[in-house]
PDB file of all heavy atoms in Angstrom:
ATOM      1  N   MET R  26      14.882  10.463  14.154  1.00  0.00           N
ATOM      2  CA  MET R  26      16.025  10.406  15.049  1.00  0.00           C
ATOM      3  C   MET R  26      16.075  11.670  15.901  1.00  0.00           C
ATOM      4  O   MET R  26      15.905  12.757  15.394  1.00  0.00           O
ATOM      5  CB  MET R  26      17.284  10.338  14.197  1.00  0.00           C
ATOM      6  CG  MET R  26      18.452   9.770  14.898  1.00  0.00           C
ATOM      7  SD  MET R  26      19.864   9.859  13.808  1.00  0.00           S
ATOM      8  CE  MET R  26      19.187   9.132  12.324  1.00  0.00           C
ATOM      9  N   ASN R  28      17.540  14.798  18.353  1.00  0.00           N
ATOM     10  CA  ASN R  28      18.723  15.641  18.181  1.00  0.00           C
ATOM     11  C   ASN R  28      19.948  15.034  18.826  1.00  0.00           C
ATOM     12  O   ASN R  28      21.047  15.129  18.326  1.00  0.00           O
ATOM     13  CB  ASN R  28      18.474  17.024  18.810  1.00  0.00           C
ATOM     14  CG  ASN R  28      17.563  17.816  17.912  1.00  0.00           C
ATOM     15  OD1 ASN R  28      17.502  17.532  16.715  1.00  0.00           O
ATOM     16  ND2 ASN R  28      16.848  18.767  18.485  1.00  0.00           N
ATOM     17  N   SER R  30      20.842  11.949  19.099  1.00  0.00           N
ATOM     18  CA  SER R  30      21.516  10.960  18.272  1.00  0.00           C
ATOM     19  C   SER R  30      22.225  11.614  17.101  1.00  0.00           C
ATOM     20  O   SER R  30      23.253  11.154  16.655  1.00  0.00           O
ATOM     21  CB  SER R  30      20.530   9.932  17.735  1.00  0.00           C
ATOM     22  OG  SER R  30      19.378   9.930  18.475  1.00  0.00           O
ATOM     23  N   LYS R  31      21.642  12.704  16.593  1.00  0.00           N
ATOM     24  CA  LYS R  31      22.270  13.352  15.448  1.00  0.00           C
ATOM     25  C   LYS R  31      23.650  13.886  15.803  1.00  0.00           C
ATOM     26  O   LYS R  31      24.534  13.948  14.977  1.00  0.00           O
ATOM     27  CB  LYS R  31      21.394  14.493  14.945  1.00  0.00           C
ATOM     28  CG  LYS R  31      20.294  13.991  14.040  1.00  0.00           C
ATOM     29  CD  LYS R  31      19.755  15.096  13.195  1.00  0.00           C
ATOM     30  CE  LYS R  31      18.793  14.545  12.168  1.00  0.00           C
ATOM     31  NZ  LYS R  31      18.255  15.556  11.310  1.00  0.00           N
ATOM     32  N   ARG R  32      23.819  14.307  17.081  1.00  0.00           N
ATOM     33  CA  ARG R  32      25.110  14.864  17.478  1.00  0.00           C
ATOM     34  C   ARG R  32      26.128  13.756  17.766  1.00  0.00           C
ATOM     35  O   ARG R  32      27.300  13.999  17.894  1.00  0.00           O
ATOM     36  CB  ARG R  32      24.937  15.753  18.717  1.00  0.00           C
ATOM     37  CG  ARG R  32      24.614  17.193  18.334  1.00  0.00           C
ATOM     38  CD  ARG R  32      24.631  18.107  19.535  1.00  0.00           C
ATOM     39  NE  ARG R  32      23.342  18.112  20.211  1.00  0.00           N
ATOM     40  CZ  ARG R  32      23.130  17.582  21.406  1.00  0.00           C
ATOM     41  NH1 ARG R  32      24.096  17.003  22.065  1.00  0.00           N
ATOM     42  NH2 ARG R  32      21.936  17.634  21.944  1.00  0.00           N
ATOM     43  N   GLU R  33      25.628  12.517  17.878  1.00  0.00           N
ATOM     44  CA  GLU R  33      26.491  11.393  18.210  1.00  0.00           C
ATOM     45  C   GLU R  33      27.606  11.250  17.180  1.00  0.00           C
ATOM     46  O   GLU R  33      27.372  11.423  15.994  1.00  0.00           O
ATOM     47  CB  GLU R  33      25.646  10.125  18.126  1.00  0.00           C
ATOM     48  CG  GLU R  33      26.086   9.051  19.053  1.00  0.00           C
ATOM     49  CD  GLU R  33      25.324   9.164  20.350  1.00  0.00           C
ATOM     50  OE1 GLU R  33      24.148   8.809  20.375  1.00  0.00           O
ATOM     51  OE2 GLU R  33      25.938   9.631  21.300  1.00  0.00           O
ATOM     52  N   SER R  48      30.861   4.526   6.727  1.00  0.00           N
ATOM     53  CA  SER R  48      30.826   5.939   7.136  1.00  0.00           C
ATOM     54  C   SER R  48      30.003   6.767   6.152  1.00  0.00           C
ATOM     55  O   SER R  48      29.282   7.686   6.554  1.00  0.00           O
ATOM     56  CB  SER R  48      32.240   6.510   7.214  1.00  0.00           C
ATOM     57  OG  SER R  48      33.014   5.691   8.032  1.00  0.00           O
ATOM     58  N   LEU R  49      30.115   6.431   4.860  1.00  0.00           N
ATOM     59  CA  LEU R  49      29.331   7.169   3.862  1.00  0.00           C
ATOM     60  C   LEU R  49      27.835   6.918   4.061  1.00  0.00           C
ATOM     61  O   LEU R  49      27.019   7.834   3.958  1.00  0.00           O
ATOM     62  CB  LEU R  49      29.751   6.749   2.448  1.00  0.00           C
ATOM     63  CG  LEU R  49      31.087   7.339   1.981  1.00  0.00           C
ATOM     64  CD1 LEU R  49      31.604   6.633   0.730  1.00  0.00           C
ATOM     65  CD2 LEU R  49      30.936   8.836   1.712  1.00  0.00           C
ATOM     66  N   TYR R  50      27.481   5.678   4.354  1.00  0.00           N
ATOM     67  CA  TYR R  50      26.065   5.380   4.610  1.00  0.00           C
ATOM     68  C   TYR R  50      25.580   6.091   5.871  1.00  0.00           C
ATOM     69  O   TYR R  50      24.477   6.629   5.922  1.00  0.00           O
ATOM     70  CB  TYR R  50      25.853   3.869   4.744  1.00  0.00           C
ATOM     71  CG  TYR R  50      25.507   3.212   3.422  1.00  0.00           C
ATOM     72  CD1 TYR R  50      26.324   2.265   2.851  1.00  0.00           C
ATOM     73  CD2 TYR R  50      24.343   3.577   2.754  1.00  0.00           C
ATOM     74  CE1 TYR R  50      26.002   1.676   1.638  1.00  0.00           C
ATOM     75  CE2 TYR R  50      24.009   2.999   1.540  1.00  0.00           C
ATOM     76  CZ  TYR R  50      24.835   2.049   0.988  1.00  0.00           C
ATOM     77  OH  TYR R  50      24.506   1.484  -0.214  1.00  0.00           O
ATOM     78  N   ILE R  51      26.417   6.078   6.904  1.00  0.00           N
ATOM     79  CA  ILE R  51      26.010   6.672   8.179  1.00  0.00           C
ATOM     80  C   ILE R  51      25.842   8.188   8.033  1.00  0.00           C
ATOM     81  O   ILE R  51      24.950   8.795   8.632  1.00  0.00           O
ATOM     82  CB  ILE R  51      27.035   6.275   9.270  1.00  0.00           C
ATOM     83  CG1 ILE R  51      26.806   4.797   9.615  1.00  0.00           C
ATOM     84  CG2 ILE R  51      26.909   7.133  10.511  1.00  0.00           C
ATOM     85  CD1 ILE R  51      27.898   4.165  10.415  1.00  0.00           C
ATOM     86  N   ALA R  52      26.680   8.783   7.171  1.00  0.00           N
ATOM     87  CA  ALA R  52      26.562  10.230   6.927  1.00  0.00           C
ATOM     88  C   ALA R  52      25.199  10.562   6.307  1.00  0.00           C
ATOM     89  O   ALA R  52      24.645  11.635   6.529  1.00  0.00           O
ATOM     90  CB  ALA R  52      27.692  10.698   6.015  1.00  0.00           C
ATOM     91  N   LYS R  53      24.651   9.628   5.532  1.00  0.00           N
ATOM     92  CA  LYS R  53      23.323   9.855   4.934  1.00  0.00           C
ATOM     93  C   LYS R  53      22.256  10.049   6.012  1.00  0.00           C
ATOM     94  O   LYS R  53      21.197  10.596   5.766  1.00  0.00           O
ATOM     95  CB  LYS R  53      22.909   8.629   4.096  1.00  0.00           C
ATOM     96  CG  LYS R  53      23.439   8.606   2.679  1.00  0.00           C
ATOM     97  CD  LYS R  53      23.107   7.238   2.103  1.00  0.00           C
ATOM     98  CE  LYS R  53      23.117   7.180   0.612  1.00  0.00           C
ATOM     99  NZ  LYS R  53      22.105   7.961  -0.051  1.00  0.00           N
ATOM    100  N   LEU R  54      22.534   9.542   7.222  1.00  0.00           N
ATOM    101  CA  LEU R  54      21.579   9.675   8.322  1.00  0.00           C
ATOM    102  C   LEU R  54      21.895  10.887   9.191  1.00  0.00           C
ATOM    103  O   LEU R  54      21.301  11.086  10.249  1.00  0.00           O
ATOM    104  CB  LEU R  54      21.614   8.410   9.192  1.00  0.00           C
ATOM    105  CG  LEU R  54      21.189   7.122   8.496  1.00  0.00           C
ATOM    106  CD1 LEU R  54      21.632   5.912   9.281  1.00  0.00           C
ATOM    107  CD2 LEU R  54      19.684   7.103   8.297  1.00  0.00           C
ATOM    108  N   GLY R  55      22.897  11.658   8.783  1.00  0.00           N
ATOM    109  CA  GLY R  55      23.262  12.857   9.540  1.00  0.00           C
ATOM    110  C   GLY R  55      24.143  12.559  10.739  1.00  0.00           C
ATOM    111  O   GLY R  55      24.287  13.385  11.636  1.00  0.00           O
ATOM    112  N   ILE R  56      24.735  11.368  10.768  1.00  0.00           N
ATOM    113  CA  ILE R  56      25.595  11.007  11.911  1.00  0.00           C
ATOM    114  C   ILE R  56      27.062  11.121  11.486  1.00  0.00           C
ATOM    115  O   ILE R  56      27.434  10.696  10.391  1.00  0.00           O
ATOM    116  CB  ILE R  56      25.294   9.562  12.387  1.00  0.00           C
ATOM    117  CG1 ILE R  56      23.815   9.428  12.765  1.00  0.00           C
ATOM    118  CG2 ILE R  56      26.185   9.182  13.559  1.00  0.00           C
ATOM    119  CD1 ILE R  56      23.383   8.009  13.123  1.00  0.00           C
ATOM    120  N   LYS R  57      27.873  11.697  12.393  1.00  0.00           N
ATOM    121  CA  LYS R  57      29.300  11.877  12.079  1.00  0.00           C
ATOM    122  C   LYS R  57      30.103  10.619  12.381  1.00  0.00           C
ATOM    123  O   LYS R  57      29.783   9.898  13.329  1.00  0.00           O
ATOM    124  CB  LYS R  57      29.879  12.989  12.955  1.00  0.00           C
ATOM    125  CG  LYS R  57      29.443  14.371  12.577  1.00  0.00           C
ATOM    126  CD  LYS R  57      30.182  15.357  13.449  1.00  0.00           C
ATOM    127  CE  LYS R  57      29.708  16.767  13.157  1.00  0.00           C
ATOM    128  NZ  LYS R  57      30.198  17.714  14.143  1.00  0.00           N
ATOM    129  N   THR R  58      31.152  10.402  11.601  1.00  0.00           N
ATOM    130  CA  THR R  58      32.077   9.296  11.905  1.00  0.00           C
ATOM    131  C   THR R  58      33.508   9.826  11.892  1.00  0.00           C
ATOM    132  O   THR R  58      33.875  10.617  11.014  1.00  0.00           O
ATOM    133  CB  THR R  58      31.983   8.170  10.840  1.00  0.00           C
ATOM    134  OG1 THR R  58      30.622   7.845  10.632  1.00  0.00           O
ATOM    135  CG2 THR R  58      32.725   6.932  11.282  1.00  0.00           C
ATOM    136  N   GLU R 150      32.683  14.558   2.136  1.00  0.00           N
ATOM    137  CA  GLU R 150      31.573  14.495   3.094  1.00  0.00           C
ATOM    138  C   GLU R 150      31.969  15.174   4.409  1.00  0.00           C
ATOM    139  O   GLU R 150      32.904  14.730   5.073  1.00  0.00           O
ATOM    140  CB  GLU R 150      31.237  13.002   3.312  1.00  0.00           C
ATOM    141  CG  GLU R 150      30.143  12.712   4.259  1.00  0.00           C
ATOM    142  CD  GLU R 150      28.867  13.474   3.963  1.00  0.00           C
ATOM    143  OE1 GLU R 150      28.182  13.148   2.974  1.00  0.00           O
ATOM    144  OE2 GLU R 150      28.590  14.407   4.739  1.00  0.00           O
ATOM    145  N   LEU R 152      30.594  15.158   7.196  1.00  0.00           N
ATOM    146  CA  LEU R 152      30.315  14.393   8.419  1.00  0.00           C
ATOM    147  C   LEU R 152      31.338  13.267   8.651  1.00  0.00           C
ATOM    148  O   LEU R 152      31.211  12.492   9.583  1.00  0.00           O
ATOM    149  CB  LEU R 152      28.900  13.799   8.353  1.00  0.00           C
ATOM    150  CG  LEU R 152      27.764  14.826   8.356  1.00  0.00           C
ATOM    151  CD1 LEU R 152      26.418  14.156   8.165  1.00  0.00           C
ATOM    152  CD2 LEU R 152      27.768  15.627   9.652  1.00  0.00           C
ATOM    153  N   TYR R 346      23.002   0.580   7.414  1.00  0.00           N
ATOM    154  CA  TYR R 346      22.267   1.810   7.082  1.00  0.00           C
ATOM    155  C   TYR R 346      20.755   1.562   7.128  1.00  0.00           C
ATOM    156  O   TYR R 346      19.996   2.331   7.714  1.00  0.00           O
ATOM    157  CB  TYR R 346      22.696   2.288   5.688  1.00  0.00           C
ATOM    158  CG  TYR R 346      21.777   3.322   5.084  1.00  0.00           C
ATOM    159  CD1 TYR R 346      21.782   4.635   5.544  1.00  0.00           C
ATOM    160  CD2 TYR R 346      20.900   2.981   4.057  1.00  0.00           C
ATOM    161  CE1 TYR R 346      20.933   5.587   4.998  1.00  0.00           C
ATOM    162  CE2 TYR R 346      20.053   3.921   3.503  1.00  0.00           C
ATOM    163  CZ  TYR R 346      20.070   5.223   3.981  1.00  0.00           C
ATOM    164  OH  TYR R 346      19.224   6.150   3.441  1.00  0.00           O
TER     165      TYR R 346
END
Side-chain angles (χ1 to χ4, degrees):
M26 202 184 310
N28 285 336
S30 341
K31 278 200 172 181
R32 271 188 274 110
E33 210 92 74
S48 307
L49 284 166
Y50 269 117
I51 286 167
K53 276 171 160 294
L54 297 163
I56 302 175
K57 287 185 183 169
T58 311
E150 180 52 72
L152 294 175
Y346 165 74

